[in-house]
Structures are given as C-alpha cells and as structure tokens.
Amino acid sequence: MTFSLLYSTALIMKLMDSFFFLALVPLALALENGLMRTPPMGWLSWERFRCNTDCKSDPHSCISEKLFMDMADRLATDGWRELGYVYVNIDDCWMAKERSATGQLIPDPERFPSGIKALADYVHARGLKLGIYGDMATLAPSLVEGTLWGVDMLKFDGCYSSSDVQAQGYPKMSRALNATGRPIAYSCSWPAYRGGLPPQVNYTLLANICNLWRNYGDIQDSWDSVLSIVDWFSANQDILQPVAGPGHWNDPDMLIIGNFGLSCEQARSQMALWTIMAAPLFMSTDLRAISESAKEILKNKLMIKINQDPLGIQGRRILQEKSHIEVFLRPLSHSASALVFFSRRTDMPYRYTTSLAQLNFTQDVVYEAQDVYTGQIISGLKAADNFTIVVNPSGVVMWYLYPTMYLDQYNIMAHLKIF
Ligand SMILES: *[C@@H]1O[C@H](CO)[C@@H](O)[C@H](O)[C@H]1NC(C)=O
Ligand SMILES: *[C@@H]1O[C@H](CO)[C@@H](O)[C@H](O)[C@H]1NC(C)=O
Ligand SMILES: *[C@@H]1O[C@H](CO)[C@@H](O)[C@H](O)[C@H]1NC(C)=O
Ligand SMILES: *[C@@H]1O[C@H](CO)[C@@H](O)[C@H](O)[C@H]1NC(C)=O
C-alpha cells in the first residue's frame, strides 16, 4: 500500500543525512566576482589547434580571428549555446611577436586583422563570451587592453616565471581584474606548476583569488593522458574535493571528445568522469567537423544537468574493486546523486554486481536510477537489492539516482514525490 506524504523538513533532513559521509563544509571565503556559480562551459583552442600560426599553408586551422569566429558561429547555431557552452576562449599564440610602438601587447596583425575588440563584439553579438590567454611574463603590463577589449575571462599562465614571481603575480592579477570593474572570470594555471603528491599548493588561497585553476599537466589527445589526469585527481581527492564549489573549481583541463585519441567508450568515460569531478567543460575540437556520436556525448542533457548541479559539490572515487571496476559518486541537489561505474579492464564487457547498500546508501529509501547514456530507468531499487550492470572496457555506466520513496519504521512505503 502506498500513500502520499507531504514532505517535511525532517524527512528531507533524513534523506540528506544519508549522504553524511560526504558532508562537506563549503569554504567560507571565495572569490566574490559573482561568476561561474556552476562549472564554466565552452570551447578552448589549445589542445586541438595548439600554436599553429601558419595561416599561409593552413588557413582553415591556424590561430586566427577566423578560427574563433567560425567556432562562435558553430556554438551559436548548432545548439551548443542553449546547452550552456558559451565561452569562446583564445589560448596561446595570438600575440604579435613585437609590441606596439607604445610598448603594449597586440594581437598578430596578419592573423587578427580586426583586433580583439572586434572579435569580442562578434562573440557578444552571438550571445557568447570571449576568453583570452596571457602569460605572467608578458601579459601583466597589458591588462588595461584586456579590459578595453571587452574580454570576459582570462587564463593566466605561469610558464617562464619563478615560484616567487607566481606567488606575487597570481593574487596581484586577481586584484587588478577586480579593480577594472568588469566581471572577468579568472583561470589560474598556478597549481599546474606545483604538482606532485601531495600538491604543494595553498588551495584555500586559490579559491580566494581564482574562479578555476588548472591543477595538473596539459591534456593530450590520448586515453593515456585522460587516465593520468583521473589517476592524479583521484589520488589527491582528499585535498582537491573540498576546495571546489560555486565560483571556484578544480580544472582537469579540456575535453578531447571529437578528436583522434579516444574510442567512443573512452569519450563517454571522459565526459562522465569530468562531470563527476564538477569540472569545467571546455571542448577543444573542431566544431565544424565533429561527428554525430561525439556531439551526442557532449550534448547529453542529463549529463549537463548533473555537471551544472547548483550545489557544486565535486564527486569522489569511493571504491576500487579487485576486478578493476571503480565507483565514483557525486552528491547532487534534491538528495539525488550521480554514480559512475568505470572499467579499467582491457578484456571484455564486465558484469559487475553490487548493491546501493554496499556503496553505503541509506537503507530506508527506495530509489530510482536513470542511465545517463541509455535513458533506461530502473525503479523500485532498495539499498539491499543486488543489481548487475555491464561495463565495457575503458567505458562507464553512469546513473542519475534519486529517492522516490521512504520506508518508515514499519516498512510501509510512504510515497514521496520529490520530482
Ligand atoms: C571586486 O571585489 C568585491 C569584493 O569582493 C566584489 O564585491 C566585487 O563584485 C568585485 N568586482 C569585480 C568586478 O570583480
Ligand atoms: C593559505 O591561504 C590562506 C588564505 O590566504 C591563509 O589564511 C593560510 O594561512 C594559508 N595556509 C598556509 C599553510 O600557508
Ligand atoms: C562504507 O562505509 C564503511 C564504514 O564506514 C567504509 O569502511 C567503506 O569504505 C565504505 N564504502 C564505500 C563504498 O564508501
Ligand atoms: C546480495 O548479494 C550478497 C552477496 O554478494 C548476498 O549476501 C545478499 O544476500 C544478496 N542480497 C539479496 C537481497 O539478494
């Protein structure tokens, strides 16, 4: 027998309690520019287009204003913008080799003949935002142009700078951005130069001055590279996980989905694992030539909803099985959660049997799970129920899991409609 139950605060608290083992205290202090309350989404040139400045022989793929205009067109007309992919971000190699007569940084006049301000206008006219890149060694003195140009985000790199210069430079740039009065999201590459186990980084300070930060080395177009990032993030999750939250994110680097290095299973895995990590979703692929299967992964609405969950809690790896299946969990709003079952196997699809109780979900709730990739719904799942899923080699099964019923002390089901 089921009957409706108005949801009371106590009941909601009870459901929330089931995640007590993940209870996390958000940082009291964080950068207060109001930006990036959920992980940023967009497109960034580096992984796919690098420092290709040869516009004579490769006009279609060189770093030029045309490339960024083309990508802005694709984001605006192919349905990306509506899903949240709004940043069009320039990375390195946009600058002229020589400064202007007055000593200012300028974009390469042949590759960016209209200038950055015109590019920003072009991007803004399509409802998008423009990000730009600078290195500490060169950009700091030219911040003023960035402001005049109307950019919306700055990725501030620290190559060729000593650790002392970085320690001064990153907070200084944060204050300078604030002083411009224009809301400019701030991506810091500082910790990427302080890797190691454990990372030699003051993440509290970073969350106070940056909206996101690149924790680790640059991603390359390979599965090995994706795995090395997942390994490093998981090994350091006790340090990294608590520092993420609305306005301040760990950044495991770009999505390489749509390029050459990943199989379809691996592409699904990158998307799922990045989403569990509450990672920024910056695609670095040629949106003019992307395959339908890659598009489908990147445009998965439930995936994006999970990535953009307003609580902004980063997930964790909660289990590594001897069978080389790993389980990741991210708590979401409305007592929901995302689960990723990830196979490190290289033999064949693996039949993995477990139960929510084994994953420490609370006993007195009935759950429903939606498979994020297939859309299949599993109803009436109790914590003690064993279930078997099939996880492909280097692939994932991802679930959006939410409570639908609450079992009271007499084990009578009380109907709880949360959605
Ligand atoms: C500058 O910082 C102050 C205090 O944290 C904040 O209220 C303000 O919105 C910031 N302005 C910009 C443009 O980031
Ligand atoms: C880290 O930075 C915070 C905020 O600036 C500061 O209060 C704290 O003392 C720093 N911790 C260490 C170990 O330096
Ligand atoms: C479940 O909880 C037990 C006891 O606290 C702990 O040892 C175990 O690692 C947890 N398992 C998972 C998957 O979180
Ligand atoms: C689930 O499987 C475990 C062993 O893997 C077993 O002990 C338990 O009885 C099973 N539970 C149910 C409800 O079948």
mmCIF file of all heavy atoms in Angstrom, residues 30-35 174 177-184, ligand 1:
data_model
loop_
_atom_site.group_PDB
_atom_site.id
_atom_site.type_symbol
_atom_site.label_atom_id
_atom_site.label_comp_id
_atom_site.label_asym_id
_atom_site.label_seq_id
_atom_site.Cartn_x
_atom_site.Cartn_y
_atom_site.Cartn_z
ATOM 1 N N ALA A 30 35.641 32.933 -0.695
ATOM 2 C CA ALA A 30 35.876 32.591 -2.093
ATOM 3 C C ALA A 30 35.835 33.873 -2.888
ATOM 4 O O ALA A 30 35.331 34.889 -2.419
ATOM 5 C CB ALA A 30 34.826 31.617 -2.593
ATOM 6 N N LEU A 31 36.367 33.799 -4.091
ATOM 7 C CA LEU A 31 36.407 34.971 -4.952
ATOM 8 C C LEU A 31 34.982 35.492 -5.168
ATOM 9 O O LEU A 31 34.100 34.761 -5.590
ATOM 10 C CB LEU A 31 37.031 34.573 -6.290
ATOM 11 C CG LEU A 31 37.175 35.669 -7.342
ATOM 12 C CD1 LEU A 31 37.996 36.826 -6.804
ATOM 13 C CD2 LEU A 31 37.807 35.099 -8.589
ATOM 14 N N GLU A 32 34.769 36.758 -4.871
ATOM 15 C CA GLU A 32 33.408 37.308 -4.884
ATOM 16 C C GLU A 32 33.152 38.145 -6.124
ATOM 17 O O GLU A 32 32.797 39.301 -6.033
ATOM 18 C CB GLU A 32 33.172 38.164 -3.633
ATOM 19 C CG GLU A 32 33.220 37.404 -2.325
ATOM 20 C CD GLU A 32 32.101 36.375 -2.176
ATOM 21 O OE1 GLU A 32 31.092 36.478 -2.909
ATOM 22 O OE2 GLU A 32 32.247 35.471 -1.345
ATOM 23 N N ASN A 33 33.367 37.558 -7.314
ATOM 24 C CA ASN A 33 33.021 38.333 -8.505
ATOM 25 C C ASN A 33 31.707 37.870 -9.116
ATOM 26 O O ASN A 33 31.316 38.312 -10.186
ATOM 27 C CB ASN A 33 34.155 38.303 -9.548
ATOM 28 C CG ASN A 33 34.475 36.894 -10.016
ATOM 29 O OD1 ASN A 33 33.793 35.946 -9.658
ATOM 30 N ND2 ASN A 33 35.524 36.772 -10.808
ATOM 31 N N GLY A 34 31.043 36.941 -8.433
ATOM 32 C CA GLY A 34 29.708 36.517 -8.856
ATOM 33 C C GLY A 34 29.703 35.590 -10.060
ATOM 34 O O GLY A 34 28.645 35.186 -10.520
ATOM 35 N N LEU A 35 30.874 35.241 -10.583
ATOM 36 C CA LEU A 35 30.939 34.471 -11.829
ATOM 37 C C LEU A 35 31.083 32.976 -11.567
ATOM 38 O O LEU A 35 31.561 32.557 -10.517
ATOM 39 C CB LEU A 35 32.124 34.959 -12.674
ATOM 40 C CG LEU A 35 32.060 36.428 -13.081
ATOM 41 C CD1 LEU A 35 33.387 36.858 -13.698
ATOM 42 C CD2 LEU A 35 30.915 36.665 -14.050
ATOM 43 N N SER A 174 44.571 39.000 -9.691
ATOM 44 C CA SER A 174 43.190 38.893 -9.205
ATOM 45 C C SER A 174 42.694 40.263 -8.741
ATOM 46 O O SER A 174 41.588 40.685 -9.078
ATOM 47 C CB SER A 174 43.126 37.886 -8.052
ATOM 48 O OG SER A 174 41.802 37.697 -7.636
ATOM 49 N N LEU A 177 42.188 42.512 -11.791
ATOM 50 C CA LEU A 177 40.949 42.210 -12.524
ATOM 51 C C LEU A 177 39.762 42.813 -11.793
ATOM 52 O O LEU A 177 38.873 43.402 -12.399
ATOM 53 C CB LEU A 177 40.755 40.699 -12.670
ATOM 54 C CG LEU A 177 41.676 39.981 -13.661
ATOM 55 C CD1 LEU A 177 41.452 38.463 -13.591
ATOM 56 C CD2 LEU A 177 41.471 40.468 -15.088
ATOM 57 N N ASN A 178 39.771 42.666 -10.476
ATOM 58 C CA ASN A 178 38.672 43.229 -9.682
ATOM 59 C C ASN A 178 38.618 44.748 -9.866
ATOM 60 O O ASN A 178 37.544 45.321 -10.026
ATOM 61 C CB ASN A 178 38.838 42.864 -8.207
ATOM 62 C CG ASN A 178 37.706 43.410 -7.355
ATOM 63 O OD1 ASN A 178 37.765 44.538 -6.902
ATOM 64 N ND2 ASN A 178 36.657 42.614 -7.177
ATOM 65 N N ALA A 179 39.801 45.360 -9.888
ATOM 66 C CA ALA A 179 39.860 46.823 -9.963
ATOM 67 C C ALA A 179 39.350 47.361 -11.298
ATOM 68 O O ALA A 179 38.976 48.526 -11.393
ATOM 69 C CB ALA A 179 41.298 47.294 -9.723
ATOM 70 N N THR A 180 39.323 46.512 -12.333
ATOM 71 C CA THR A 180 38.816 47.003 -13.621
ATOM 72 C C THR A 180 37.323 47.304 -13.554
ATOM 73 O O THR A 180 36.805 48.053 -14.369
ATOM 74 C CB THR A 180 38.999 45.971 -14.760
ATOM 75 O OG1 THR A 180 38.169 44.834 -14.488
ATOM 76 C CG2 THR A 180 40.446 45.542 -14.905
ATOM 77 N N GLY A 181 36.624 46.661 -12.601
ATOM 78 C CA GLY A 181 35.188 46.873 -12.513
ATOM 79 C C GLY A 181 34.397 46.007 -13.483
ATOM 80 O O GLY A 181 33.173 45.931 -13.405
ATOM 81 N N ARG A 182 35.090 45.364 -14.429
ATOM 82 C CA ARG A 182 34.388 44.474 -15.363
ATOM 83 C C ARG A 182 34.461 43.054 -14.812
ATOM 84 O O ARG A 182 35.537 42.593 -14.442
ATOM 85 C CB ARG A 182 35.077 44.518 -16.729
ATOM 86 C CG ARG A 182 34.403 43.627 -17.759
ATOM 87 C CD ARG A 182 35.084 43.677 -19.128
ATOM 88 N NE ARG A 182 34.467 42.690 -20.010
ATOM 89 C CZ ARG A 182 33.355 42.895 -20.711
ATOM 90 N NH1 ARG A 182 32.763 44.060 -20.672
ATOM 91 N NH2 ARG A 182 32.843 41.942 -21.463
ATOM 92 N N PRO A 183 33.344 42.327 -14.733
ATOM 93 C CA PRO A 183 33.419 40.941 -14.258
ATOM 94 C C PRO A 183 34.210 40.089 -15.260
ATOM 95 O O PRO A 183 33.740 39.863 -16.375
ATOM 96 C CB PRO A 183 31.952 40.490 -14.176
ATOM 97 C CG PRO A 183 31.126 41.726 -14.373
ATOM 98 C CD PRO A 183 31.977 42.709 -15.108
ATOM 99 N N ILE A 184 35.404 39.687 -14.889
ATOM 100 C CA ILE A 184 36.253 38.863 -15.766
ATOM 101 C C ILE A 184 36.617 37.597 -14.991
ATOM 102 O O ILE A 184 37.264 37.675 -13.949
ATOM 103 C CB ILE A 184 37.532 39.626 -16.190
ATOM 104 C CG1 ILE A 184 37.156 40.903 -16.957
ATOM 105 C CG2 ILE A 184 38.431 38.729 -17.038
ATOM 106 C CD1 ILE A 184 38.330 41.785 -17.336
HETATM 107 C C1 LIG B 1 35.504 43.084 -6.549
HETATM 108 O O1 LIG B 1 35.529 42.531 -5.247
HETATM 109 C C2 LIG B 1 34.444 42.908 -4.430
HETATM 110 C C3 LIG B 1 34.693 42.382 -3.026
HETATM 111 O O2 LIG B 1 34.987 41.028 -3.029
HETATM 112 C C4 LIG B 1 33.156 42.407 -5.041
HETATM 113 O O3 LIG B 1 32.043 42.780 -4.263
HETATM 114 C C5 LIG B 1 33.026 42.956 -6.445
HETATM 115 O O4 LIG B 1 31.877 42.414 -7.076
HETATM 116 C C6 LIG B 1 34.246 42.626 -7.275
HETATM 117 N N1 LIG B 1 34.149 43.265 -8.583
HETATM 118 C C7 LIG B 1 34.512 42.679 -9.715
HETATM 119 C C8 LIG B 1 34.324 43.466 -10.955
HETATM 120 O O5 LIG B 1 35.009 41.561 -9.779
#
